[in-house]
Amino acid sequence: MKIGVFVYPEMELQDFAGPTDVFIKANRLTDNQYQIYLFSQDGNQIKTEQGLVCITPSYSFDNLPLVDLILLPGAPSDAVKALSEQVQIKQFLIQNNQEGVKLASVCTGAYLLGYAGLLDNRKFTTHFMQANNMQDQFVKAILVKDVRLVDSQEILTASGITSH
């Protein structure tokens, strides 16, 4: 399985590191069945929340190899909302969804899906502190509260590492 992990400025380190580490550990048990590709919008280095950690991805939107799953970590809501409104990001997610790539968000990473219209008429979850706000913004989406994961076939949403 090929997994693309989207890294972006102000991303929460635990929403990136936790899920990524799960696949790294799974590789030890499955004879390396998971290939992980870090990518950013332009392929340039990013800094996580409050500039604490610098991450240099190997890929950008333009040269990301074909993947089976794209993981969208969360970030502080103001940062991820601003990023979510960028047309290039919306188009990238929509195109990958149309091509059959599964999209998975952690915590507020669901904003990226919502602004792209990919939560419309689908069940989703997010961090409990953002749930009502997201439901108000994405009125066509179906919020499921107090769960850790919602599987809506090609769209997976997780409430977040520190959500419960």
Side-chain angles (χ1 to χ4, degrees), residues 8-9 11 17 28 33 39 45 47 53 56-57 77 85 87 93 102-103 110 117 124-125 139-140 153 158 163:
Y8 58 90
M11 169 189 72
R28 291 183 183 167
Q33 290 184 10
F39 71 98
Q45 183 181 73
K47 291 183 180 180
V53 175
T56 303
S77 60
E85 295 174 352
V87 173
L93 295 174
K102 282 192 178 249
L103 303 174
F124 81 98
T125 196
V139 295
K140 293 181 182 177
Q153 297 179 2
S163 62

Side-chain angles (χ1 to χ4, degrees), residues 125-140:
T125 196
T126 190
H127 193 278
F128 71 93
M129 292 179 69
Q130 290 295 318
N132 291 335
N133 183 43
M134 285 191 70
Q135 183 66 82
D136 291 345
Q137 285 191 15
F138 308 118
V139 295
K140 293 181 182 177

Side-chain angles (χ1 to χ4, degrees), residues 57-69:
S58 298
Y59 301 96
S60 69
F61 284 3
D62 294 330
N63 67 1
L64 178 67
L66 294 175
V67 295
D68 303 300
L69 175 93

Side-chain angles (χ1 to χ4, degrees), residues 15-128:
D15 286 358
F16 154 76
T20 303
D21 197 46
V22 167
F23 290 112
I24 291 169
K25 299 292 189 277
N27 270 338
R28 291 183 183 167
L29 303 172
T30 64
D31 197 26
N32 292 315
Q33 290 184 10
Y34 301 97
Q35 294 175 332
I36 303 165
Y37 304 95
L38 296 185
F39 71 98
S40 66
Q41 187 171 357
D42 56 12
N44 293 331
Q45 183 181 73
I46 64 97
K47 291 183 180 180
T48 62
E49 187 175 7
Q50 295 188 3
L52 185 63
V53 175
C54 293
I55 297 174
T56 303
S58 298
Y59 301 96
S60 69
F61 284 3
D62 294 330
N63 67 1
L64 178 67
L66 294 175
V67 295
D68 303 300
L69 175 93
I70 292 175
L71 179 67
L72 306 167
S77 60
D78 57 337
V80 76
K81 284 180 192 178
L83 191 74
S84 297
E85 295 174 352
Q86 293 183 23
V87 173
Q88 185 184 21
I89 292 174
K90 290 179 192 180
Q91 290 174 338
F92 175 81
L93 295 174
I94 292 166
Q95 178 182 345
N96 276 277
N97 177 255
Q98 290 172 344
E99 292 174 358
V101 175
K102 282 192 178 249
L103 303 174
S105 67
V106 178
C107 192
T108 57
Y111 276 107
L112 295 163
L113 298 169
Y115 279 104
L118 295 170
L119 295 179
D120 290 357
N121 303 310
R122 284 194 174 97
K123 291 181 180 180
F124 81 98
T125 196
T126 190
H127 193 278
F128 71 93

